[in-house]
Amino acid sequence: MKNICTKKTLVAMTAATMIGAAGTSYAEEPIRIGGIYILSGSAATYGEFAQRGINLAVDEINASGGILGRQIEMEYEDSQGKASVAIQAARKLVYSSGVDALVGLDSSGVAQGLVPTMPELQKPLIITHAATPDVTGKLCNPFTYRISVNVAQNMKAAALVAEKLDATNWTTIGPDYAFGHQSWEFFGNYLKDIKPDVNLMSETNFPRFGAEDFTPFIDRVMNSDADGVLISVWGGDLVNFVRQANNRGFFDKDLELLFTVGAATEVLSALGDEMPEGVHLSTRYWYDAYDNDINAAFVKAYVDAYDGPPSYNAEGAYAAIYAYKKAMEAAGTTDGPAVAKALSGLSMEAPNGTVMFRKADNQAMVSPNWGVSGPMHPEYAIRTLTNLQIFDGEEVARSIEETGCKL
C-alpha cells in the first residue's frame, strides 16, 4: 500500500507540475494574427503597404507590453487575388498555425468568397481594404468586421462631389468584377437621386482586372458623348491606365474625372507627375487630412521608417491591430467568439479619428476623403490634394435595412 500511495502521489505531482508548466507556457505564448493580402502580381504594393502599417502597430504594442501581457506575432499568406486561395490560406492559418485572429483582403471578389467561411473558422476577421458592401451587408456574419470605407459610403461621397460638377452624361471605366460593377451601380443610383437630370450612359467599360492594354476603353470614352467618367481601376492597373491615357490625350479632353481610389499613395508614388493635376481623386484615408495626435505620431513613424507618407491601406491595417488590442483586452481573452463579440460596437481612436464598428452590420463608420490633384509635394514626390473634403462616415452610410445584413 505504501508503495502504491507513493506512486499515486508521484503521478499527481508530475501531472500538477505539467499542468503548471503548460499554464506558464500558455501565458507566455505570443498572440498570433494571420494576414491575408495580395503579395504578388500587379497589386502587390497594397499588400506591402498593409504589412508596413501592421509592422508599426505590432512594434508599438509589443514595446509597450503587448496584449494581455503577451507579444504579437504575425504570419502572412498571399491571396493572389483569388478567393479559393484566400480560403485555403485562412484555413491554414487557423487550423495549422493556430492564429487567434485574421486581418486583410484587398479584393472585393476575394472577400465575397472568404467571408461566408468565417463562422466555420470561429475566428474574427477585420477587413482592412476590400470594399464590397456585401461583406457587411447580405453576407454579414458575427465574425466579420471592416475597418475601412466601403463602396456604398465612398460612392455616396462621390455623388455629392459629382452633384456640383457640370457633367451631364456619365460613364465608367472599372475592373470587371464586384468592385467595378458595384462602384458604378451605387454611384449612379446616388447621383440620380441627387441630380435626376443626369444621364447614366449604357456604354460602360469594364476591362478585366490585371489587363495590360486599356487603350480600347480609353478610346471608346474619348469617342463617346460622355463628359463625366467614374474611374474605379486601381493598383498597378490604375498606374498603367493613367500612363496609357496620357499617351492617348485622354486628359486633354474636357471631361470631369472621378478616380475612386486615385489618391492611394501607392499609385501616386508610382506615377509621380504622370498623375495629371486638376482631376478628382478619392482615398479612404489621406495622411494630411486629420489633425490629431494619433495621426501625427502615425505619419511621423511611417515616414521615418519608409521615407514616404502612409497609404489608406497602411492606415487601415495599422488601426485593425489596435482594434484587436482593445477587443482582446475588453474580452480578457483571445478566444475567437469572445473577441468577435467584443468588437461589436467597439469605438476607438485611430489616425483617421474616432472609429466605431456599427453593431448591426460590423461596418466601421469612417470618413471617405475626396480632393483635387494639386502640385507635386516637394518632399514626397507625389501629387498633393487640394479642395479636400472629409465626409462624415455615418452620413454617407446606408441604413441597416438597406444593407440587408441580419446578424
Side-chain angles (χ1 to χ4, degrees):
M1 287 290 296
K2 190 173 182 179
N3 289 338
I4 293 173
C5 289
T6 301
K7 287 179 181 178
K8 284 183 177 179
T9 304
L10 181 60
V11 169
M13 288 176 64
T14 303
T17 302
M18 290 172 68
I19 291 169
T24 301
S25 172
Y26 175 79
E28 294 174 352
E29 230 176 56
I31 291 171
R32 294 181 177 87
I33 299 176
I36 304 173
Y37 290 97
I38 297 176
L39 301 174
S40 58
S42 65
T45 52
Y46 283 84
E48 177 188 351
F49 274 56
Q51 286 179 306
R52 290 178 177 184
I54 288 170
N55 290 342
L56 287 178
V58 168
D59 289 347
E60 290 171 2
I61 292 170
N62 284 345
S64 64
I67 301 174
L68 301 174
R70 297 160 62 186
Q71 297 286 282
I72 307 170
E73 283 186 1
M74 292 297 306
E75 183 172 335
Y76 293 96
E77 291 288 334
D78 181 4
S79 76
Q80 301 175 29
K82 299 175 183 177
S84 60
V85 174
I87 292 169
Q88 291 176 345
R91 288 177 173 150
K92 175 186 173 185
L93 287 166
V94 171
Y95 296 134
S96 298
S97 301
V99 300
D100 300 292
L102 296 166
V103 295
L105 307 188
D106 294 298
S107 161
S108 289
V110 169
Q112 288 173 322
L114 176 60
V115 162
T117 71
M118 295 314 301
E120 166 205 327
L121 301 178
Q122 292 285 295
K123 299 293 181 183
L125 164 67
I126 297 180
I127 295 173
T128 64
H129 184 193
T132 173
D134 294 349
V135 298
T136 49
K138 63 184 181 181
L139 298 178
C140 72
N141 63 65
F143 290 89
T144 301
Y145 289 77
R146 176 165 39 214
I147 201 164
S148 58
V149 171
N150 68 33
V151 164
Q153 290 168 312
N154 200 31
M155 291 304 94
K156 178 66 174 291
L160 292 170
V161 171
E163 177 191 14
K164 299 175 183 176
L165 305 178
D166 293 332
T168 301
N169 296 320
W170 284 89
T171 188
T172 190
I173 302 177
D176 191 13
Y177 73 104
F179 180 66
H181 289 277
Q182 289 182 332
S183 293
W184 175 240
E185 177 187 352
F186 279 100
F187 172 76
N189 289 340
Y190 283 133
L191 183 57
K192 200 73 174 171
D193 285 343
I194 297 169
K195 201 173 181 180
D197 60 336
V198 298
N199 174 36
L200 303 174
M201 299 174 65
S202 58
E203 298 83 6
T204 51
N205 306 273
F206 293 104
R208 68 174 178 82
F209 182 67
E212 295 180 359
D213 185 8
F214 294 93
T215 55
F217 306 97
I218 294 167
D219 290 347
R220 189 178 182 203
V221 172
M222 291 176 67
N223 294 325
S224 74
D225 294 328
D227 53 6
V229 190
L230 181 82
I231 302 169
S232 57
V233 180
W234 62 282
D237 286 7
L238 180 52
V239 173
N240 290 334
F241 171 86
V242 169
R243 287 173 176 162
Q244 292 169 28
N246 274 319
N247 291 338
R248 306 298 287 182
F250 182 74
F251 298 112
D252 298 327
K253 299 282 286 183
D254 188 19
L255 298 170
E256 297 286 5
L257 305 175
L258 272 63
F259 288 83
T260 69
V261 281
T265 55
E266 298 94 333
V267 168
L268 295 178
S269 297
L271 285 171
D273 61 6
E274 291 179 282
M275 174 62 79
E277 193 169 353
V279 296
H280 296 272
L281 304 178
S282 175
T283 180
R284 295 155 196 177
Y285 155 87
W286 184 248
Y287 67 92
D288 201 27
Y290 299 92
D291 184 15
N292 63 65
D293 292 342
I294 294 175
N295 190 52
F298 170 62
V299 173
K300 183 181 186 307
Y302 192 97
V303 171
D304 288 348
Y306 302 112
D307 297 321
S311 69
Y312 70 78
N313 208 22
E315 188 276 337
Y318 175 89
I321 303 302
Y322 273 98
Y324 275 134
K325 179 179 188 297
K326 188 165 184 178
M328 289 174 178
E329 290 174 346
T333 179
T334 59
D335 173 71
V339 174
K341 186 176 180 181
L343 286 167
S344 179
L346 182 143
S347 180
M348 60 177 281
E349 297 303 315
N352 60 343
T354 302
V355 173
M356 184 269 290
F357 291 112
R358 191 164 61 172
K359 277 192 172 186
D361 64 352
N362 298 342
Q363 170 65 50
M365 296 296 101
V366 285
S367 49
N369 299 173
W370 278 88
V372 176
S373 56
M376 293 294 293
H377 192 286
E379 183 180 354
Y380 300 144
I382 63 173
R383 288 287 180 196
T384 55
L385 278 189
T386 62
N387 302 327
L388 186 63
Q389 297 181 70
I390 303 173
F391 291 89
D392 183 275
E394 294 196 51
E395 290 183 5
V396 295
R398 293 187 294 169
S399 68
I400 297 303
E401 292 71 27
E402 289 175 307
T403 69
C405 177
K406 298 187 189 322
L407 289 176

